[in-house]
Amino acid sequence: ESLGATLGAIDRGLAGFESPAAQRDLKWDLRRAGWIRDYLHHIEGAGRRALVERWLADFDHRVRPALALLRQGVIYNDANDNNILVHAALRGDGTRAGGRAVAGVIDFGDLCFSNVVCEPAIAAAYATMGLPDPVAGIARLLAGYHAAWPLEAAELEVVHALVCLRLCVSVTNSAYQATVEPGNRY
């Protein structure tokens, strides 16, 4: 929830912000996810490729048309575990509450003009990895985001597909990069 609230506050703060630099062709902009189609052959295993192809087909037929009708704006676009700063969660009186809370984010290099709903979807793709109940984790992240920058019903209808699409972009990009730089562990 803390991550969602932080991202919602960032995006709310960016609402109305315009810059020509934000209007760019960025492979991490989920509206442009179709670029991975030409790189699917780098994914090992027919079953894994087929899974990505199914999400791409859903993107083409259902999600992309929906995105054209949804809110757009400049978004942070890079909430992954390498870019999130956390601290001990505190109560209102300053005592430690247990757990962690987001203190801030770093690396604004992927900031771009995109659909607002892409922000919590991208964060959810990474924040819920390894959780025993990723759906509950996504719900909590969305609740935090929604409290800071309310999502519209039509945005909620595509968020699941966008979470999966971000994972498809990451997997495809990683498979491709492994052929370009086989020694690069990242």
Side-chain angles (χ1 to χ4, degrees), residues 2-3 10 15 23 47 54 59 62 64 70 96 102 118-119 129 131 134 136 141 144 155 157 182:
S2 171
L3 176 58
I10 290 170
Q23 300 280 352
R54 281 196 303 273
F59 175 68
R62 184 179 69 87
R64 187 190 329 241
L70 300 179
R96 189 176 175 137
V102 173
C118 292
E119 187 79 85
M129 281 189 194
L131 290 182
L141 189 142
E155 291 171 324
E157 289 179 21

Side-chain angles (χ1 to χ4, degrees), residues 24-171:
R24 58 194 177 126
D25 188 11
L26 182 68
K27 71 180 175 181
W28 298 110
D29 179 358
L30 283 179
R31 296 177 308 160
R32 305 178 194 287
W35 72 267
I36 67 173
R37 190 169 281 104
D38 294 336
Y39 296 85
L40 295 179
H41 63 278
H42 293 285
I43 298 173
E44 292 184 19
R48 296 174 94 194
R49 275 191 307 279
L51 182 61
V52 173
E53 288 168 347
R54 281 196 303 273
W55 284 111
L56 275 174
D58 182 55
F59 175 68
D60 289 338
H61 300 293
R62 184 179 69 87
V63 178
R64 187 190 329 241
L67 290 177
L69 304 174
L70 300 179
R71 289 183 299 167
Q72 298 180 354
V74 175
I75 63 171
Y76 170 66
N77 199 49
D78 202 13
N80 67 67
D81 49 336
N82 294 312
N83 294 338
I84 300 166
L85 304 173
V86 297
H87 60 79
L90 302 176
R91 293 186 184 92
D93 64 1
T95 61
R96 189 176 175 137
R100 297 186 188 147
V102 173
V105 298
I106 60 172
D107 186 358
F108 288 80
D110 288 346
L111 189 124
C112 69
F113 185 87
S114 189
N115 288 93
V116 171
V117 68
C118 292
E119 187 79 85
I122 291 164
Y126 297 106
T128 59
M129 281 189 194
L131 290 182
D133 186 353
V135 173
I138 290 170
R140 290 185 65 199
L141 189 142
L142 290 174
Y145 189 94
H146 185 77
W149 190 228
L151 292 162
E152 299 170 355
E155 291 171 324
L156 291 171
E157 289 179 21
V158 297
V159 75
H160 174 254
L162 291 170
V163 170
C164 295
L165 189 63
R166 177 58 175 232
L167 293 171
C168 290
V169 170
S170 292
V171 165

